Amino acid sequence: AWAAGAGDVSLYTAFTQAASWVRATHELPNAEWRKQQEENRHRAETLMRAVVSVKVARWLGNSQGSGFFVEGGLVMTNFHVVDGAGEGKISLELHRGWMTPARVVYADKQKDLALLEIVGQKQNLPWLSWGNSIEVRVGDPVWACGNQFGYGFSVTHGEISAVDRVRQEVFAGENGILFQTDAAINPGNSGGPLVDGEGRVVGIVTGMAPDSDRVGFAIRSNDAAAFLASYHQAVENKNL
């Protein structure tokens, strides 16, 4: 009969330890990947409820963009998305296809920002929280959300490519500093949120470089939050 010697035991022990290490190193990435996948799905579901499609009826045909709830009944978008829209010409498509009319209550062409207010029921509407754009760094992961090509809610993933793009160098005649991202930005994304890994808004998508591939730009969240604060100050001072 065969009897294991000390060398055989050492070899067996080494083999089982190696097998355990291989199994552990294989399972760990899978577990981390599954956790990341669940987090991404949860983030997308949260965004889906707070992001809207902005539809504008115009004389020469309809146009579309994106927006998101910043508080009950108020939606932020780009000025250029709703520029020139007449009374009763703006409608929002919310989660699950619910349509509702909206009107512009505050706008700033130079900042390319506008606030829309839902006409009608405003209860139980989710909104997104602000991130601090001062803390954003090149390489940070971000998600761009919106109504790409008018197909409905979409999410694309990328990174912050630059934090100090001069708006005038990208969009002639406009002032300010923009983020640059390689998250896919397409027609219809304008006005949608650019969010960080915590689901906080760090930018508002404002456009893409002409004839470019994955070179998009976003207004910094702190500038957008200041715009929202100026609206509340105008309401308080009865200047609207």
Side-chain angles (χ1 to χ4, degrees), residues 113-135:
L113 290 171
L115 281 175
L116 312 178
E117 182 181 46
I118 283 182
V119 178
Q121 196 265 350
K122 302 179 180 65
Q123 286 75 33
N124 302 319
L125 295 172
W127 63 81
L128 301 179
S129 59
W130 296 107
N132 186 352
S133 55
I134 293 176
E135 298 176 352

Short mmCIF file of all heavy atoms in Angstrom, two decimals, residues 113-135:
data_model
loop_
_atom_site.label_atom_id
_atom_site.label_comp_id
_atom_site.label_asym_id
_atom_site.label_seq_id
_atom_site.Cartn_x
_atom_site.Cartn_y
_atom_site.Cartn_z
N LEU A 113 -28.81 78.34 -19.83
CA LEU A 113 -29.60 77.60 -18.85
C LEU A 113 -31.02 78.13 -18.83
O LEU A 113 -31.26 79.31 -19.06
CB LEU A 113 -28.98 77.73 -17.46
CG LEU A 113 -27.65 77.01 -17.23
CD1 LEU A 113 -27.05 77.41 -15.88
CD2 LEU A 113 -27.82 75.50 -17.31
N ALA A 114 -31.95 77.23 -18.54
CA ALA A 114 -33.36 77.61 -18.42
C ALA A 114 -34.02 76.71 -17.40
O ALA A 114 -33.64 75.55 -17.22
CB ALA A 114 -34.07 77.51 -19.77
N LEU A 115 -35.02 77.27 -16.72
CA LEU A 115 -35.84 76.51 -15.78
C LEU A 115 -37.25 76.40 -16.34
O LEU A 115 -37.84 77.40 -16.77
CB LEU A 115 -35.88 77.20 -14.41
CG LEU A 115 -34.68 77.01 -13.50
CD1 LEU A 115 -34.85 77.87 -12.25
CD2 LEU A 115 -34.50 75.54 -13.12
N LEU A 116 -37.77 75.18 -16.34
CA LEU A 116 -39.13 74.93 -16.78
C LEU A 116 -39.96 74.52 -15.58
O LEU A 116 -39.47 73.85 -14.66
CB LEU A 116 -39.18 73.82 -17.83
CG LEU A 116 -38.19 73.91 -18.99
CD1 LEU A 116 -38.35 72.71 -19.90
CD2 LEU A 116 -38.36 75.20 -19.76
N GLU A 117 -41.22 74.90 -15.60
CA GLU A 117 -42.14 74.49 -14.54
C GLU A 117 -43.26 73.67 -15.14
O GLU A 117 -43.85 74.05 -16.16
CB GLU A 117 -42.71 75.70 -13.81
CG GLU A 117 -43.63 75.34 -12.66
CD GLU A 117 -44.20 76.57 -11.97
OE1 GLU A 117 -44.66 77.49 -12.68
OE2 GLU A 117 -44.18 76.60 -10.73
N ILE A 118 -43.52 72.54 -14.53
CA ILE A 118 -44.63 71.71 -14.98
C ILE A 118 -45.95 72.45 -14.77
O ILE A 118 -46.16 73.09 -13.74
CB ILE A 118 -44.66 70.38 -14.21
CG1 ILE A 118 -43.58 69.45 -14.77
CG2 ILE A 118 -46.01 69.69 -14.30
CD1 ILE A 118 -43.54 68.10 -14.11
N VAL A 119 -46.82 72.37 -15.76
CA VAL A 119 -48.15 72.96 -15.64
C VAL A 119 -49.09 71.85 -15.15
O VAL A 119 -49.40 70.91 -15.87
CB VAL A 119 -48.64 73.51 -16.99
CG1 VAL A 119 -50.05 74.07 -16.85
CG2 VAL A 119 -47.68 74.57 -17.51
N GLY A 120 -49.49 71.95 -13.90
CA GLY A 120 -50.37 70.93 -13.35
C GLY A 120 -49.76 70.25 -12.14
O GLY A 120 -49.02 70.87 -11.37
N GLN A 121 -50.02 68.96 -11.98
CA GLN A 121 -49.64 68.20 -10.80
C GLN A 121 -48.13 68.14 -10.62
O GLN A 121 -47.38 67.83 -11.55
CB GLN A 121 -50.20 66.77 -10.92
CG GLN A 121 -50.21 66.00 -9.61
CD GLN A 121 -48.99 65.11 -9.44
OE1 GLN A 121 -48.23 64.94 -10.37
NE2 GLN A 121 -48.82 64.58 -8.25
N LYS A 122 -47.64 68.48 -9.40
CA LYS A 122 -46.20 68.54 -9.14
C LYS A 122 -45.78 67.67 -7.97
O LYS A 122 -44.62 67.68 -7.57
CB LYS A 122 -45.79 69.99 -8.86
CG LYS A 122 -46.10 70.97 -9.97
CD LYS A 122 -45.67 72.38 -9.60
CE LYS A 122 -45.98 73.38 -10.71
NZ LYS A 122 -47.41 73.53 -10.95
N GLN A 123 -46.69 66.93 -7.40
CA GLN A 123 -46.35 66.11 -6.23
C GLN A 123 -45.65 64.81 -6.64
O GLN A 123 -45.81 64.33 -7.75
CB GLN A 123 -47.62 65.77 -5.42
CG GLN A 123 -48.18 66.93 -4.63
CD GLN A 123 -48.90 67.95 -5.48
OE1 GLN A 123 -49.52 67.58 -6.47
NE2 GLN A 123 -48.80 69.21 -5.12
N ASN A 124 -44.86 64.30 -5.69
CA ASN A 124 -44.20 63.00 -5.83
C ASN A 124 -43.29 62.91 -7.06
O ASN A 124 -43.20 61.87 -7.70
CB ASN A 124 -45.24 61.88 -5.89
CG ASN A 124 -46.12 61.85 -4.65
OD1 ASN A 124 -45.63 62.03 -3.53
ND2 ASN A 124 -47.42 61.66 -4.85
N LEU A 125 -42.64 64.02 -7.37
CA LEU A 125 -41.70 64.04 -8.49
C LEU A 125 -40.27 63.97 -7.93
O LEU A 125 -39.89 64.80 -7.11
CB LEU A 125 -41.89 65.30 -9.34
CG LEU A 125 -43.24 65.42 -10.05
CD1 LEU A 125 -43.38 66.79 -10.70
CD2 LEU A 125 -43.39 64.33 -11.10
N PRO A 126 -39.48 63.01 -8.36
CA PRO A 126 -38.11 62.89 -7.83
C PRO A 126 -37.20 63.94 -8.44
O PRO A 126 -37.46 64.47 -9.53
CB PRO A 126 -37.70 61.49 -8.29
CG PRO A 126 -38.45 61.30 -9.57
CD PRO A 126 -39.78 62.01 -9.38
N TRP A 127 -36.14 64.30 -7.74
CA TRP A 127 -35.16 65.20 -8.33
C TRP A 127 -33.77 64.75 -7.94
O TRP A 127 -33.57 63.97 -7.00
CB TRP A 127 -35.41 66.65 -7.96
CG TRP A 127 -35.32 67.00 -6.50
CD1 TRP A 127 -34.19 67.23 -5.77
CD2 TRP A 127 -36.41 67.19 -5.59
NE1 TRP A 127 -34.51 67.55 -4.47
CE2 TRP A 127 -35.87 67.54 -4.33
CE3 TRP A 127 -37.80 67.10 -5.72
CZ2 TRP A 127 -36.66 67.79 -3.22
CZ3 TRP A 127 -38.58 67.36 -4.60
CH2 TRP A 127 -38.02 67.70 -3.38
N LEU A 128 -32.79 65.27 -8.67
CA LEU A 128 -31.40 64.88 -8.46
C LEU A 128 -30.70 65.89 -7.56
O LEU A 128 -31.04 67.08 -7.54
CB LEU A 128 -30.67 64.81 -9.80
CG LEU A 128 -31.24 63.82 -10.82
CD1 LEU A 128 -30.43 63.86 -12.11
CD2 LEU A 128 -31.25 62.40 -10.25
N SER A 129 -29.71 65.42 -6.82
CA SER A 129 -28.95 66.28 -5.93
C SER A 129 -27.71 66.80 -6.65
O SER A 129 -27.23 66.20 -7.62
CB SER A 129 -28.55 65.53 -4.65
OG SER A 129 -27.77 64.40 -4.98
N TRP A 130 -27.18 67.91 -6.15
CA TRP A 130 -26.01 68.54 -6.76
C TRP A 130 -24.72 67.96 -6.21
O TRP A 130 -24.59 67.73 -5.02
CB TRP A 130 -26.01 70.05 -6.51
CG TRP A 130 -27.15 70.79 -7.14
CD1 TRP A 130 -28.22 71.32 -6.50
CD2 TRP A 130 -27.32 71.09 -8.52
NE1 TRP A 130 -29.06 71.93 -7.39
CE2 TRP A 130 -28.52 71.81 -8.65
CE3 TRP A 130 -26.57 70.82 -9.67
CZ2 TRP A 130 -29.00 72.25 -9.88
CZ3 TRP A 130 -27.04 71.27 -10.89
CH2 TRP A 130 -28.24 71.98 -10.99
N GLY A 131 -23.74 67.77 -7.09
CA GLY A 131 -22.39 67.49 -6.67
C GLY A 131 -21.62 68.80 -6.68
O GLY A 131 -22.09 69.81 -7.20
N ASN A 132 -20.44 68.80 -6.10
CA ASN A 132 -19.59 69.99 -6.05
C ASN A 132 -18.60 69.95 -7.20
O ASN A 132 -17.66 69.16 -7.19
CB ASN A 132 -18.85 70.05 -4.71
CG ASN A 132 -18.07 71.34 -4.53
OD1 ASN A 132 -17.96 72.15 -5.46
ND2 ASN A 132 -17.52 71.55 -3.36
N SER A 133 -18.82 70.80 -8.19
CA SER A 133 -17.97 70.74 -9.38
C SER A 133 -16.53 71.16 -9.10
O SER A 133 -15.63 70.83 -9.87
CB SER A 133 -18.57 71.61 -10.50
OG SER A 133 -18.79 72.94 -10.07
N ILE A 134 -16.30 71.85 -7.99
CA ILE A 134 -14.92 72.22 -7.63
C ILE A 134 -14.08 70.97 -7.35
O ILE A 134 -12.87 70.95 -7.57
CB ILE A 134 -14.92 73.15 -6.40
CG1 ILE A 134 -15.57 74.50 -6.76
CG2 ILE A 134 -13.51 73.38 -5.87
CD1 ILE A 134 -15.69 75.45 -5.59
N GLU A 135 -14.73 69.92 -6.87
CA GLU A 135 -14.02 68.69 -6.51
C GLU A 135 -13.80 67.75 -7.70
O GLU A 135 -13.12 66.73 -7.55
CB GLU A 135 -14.80 67.95 -5.42
CG GLU A 135 -14.95 68.75 -4.13
CD GLU A 135 -15.80 68.04 -3.10
OE1 GLU A 135 -16.40 67.00 -3.46
OE2 GLU A 135 -15.87 68.51 -1.96
#
